[in-house]
Each structure stands twice: as C-alpha cells, then as structure tokens.
Amino acid sequence: MARPEKMQRVVREVIEESGLPRTLIAEDTELSRAALVAWLSGARTPQRESVAQLAAGLEKRANQLQYLVFRLRNLLDETEE
C-alpha cells in the first residue's frame, strides 16, 4: 500500500499535469472541487477510494477525447479522396 505522502504527491502531479480545470475534474470524477483543492494544497490526503474515483473520471475523459480524435481522423481520411 502506498504511503500517504506518495499518494498525495502522485495525485497532485496527475491533477496538475492533466491541464484540466479543477471544476471539470470534479465534475468528471464526482468529487468535490474543495477536496481537489485540499489535496493540491496538502491540507488533506486523498483516500484510496477517492484516488479510484479520480482514475475512473480521468479515464472516462480520455476515452471521450480519443473518440473525438477518431472522428476527426476519419473526416481527414474521407477528404483525402
């Protein structure tokens, strides 16, 4: 099991590196924006269940983006002819 310090550090890195607004992350993950801010500031350490929610929400967003890229690539393929 990951130490709380590592959990907090990795979660902070993932949130920051995502480049997504905190409001959107909170909406996608069904976590509160206040919880995200507390994790980022170091005031609170995320629990395992919350990290799982964060992962699931980011995965859902990634899948949506991947589908949109697929649609655009198909459009480009169609217009090549």
Side-chain angles (χ1 to χ4, degrees), residues 9-59:
R9 179 180 50 80
V10 172
V11 166
R12 184 181 320 119
E13 289 171 359
V14 166
I15 291 171
E16 290 173 352
E17 290 176 27
S18 76
L20 298 170
R22 308 304 183 252
T23 305
L24 184 60
I25 294 173
E27 185 179 303
D28 285 351
T29 60
E30 298 180 4
L31 295 165
S32 72
R33 189 176 182 285
L36 298 176
V37 170
W39 297 343
L40 292 169
S41 70
R44 287 182 40 203
T45 300
Q47 299 300 307
R48 185 174 172 78
E49 298 80 19
S50 299
V51 174
Q53 274 183 265
L54 179 63
L58 291 175
E59 184 176 37

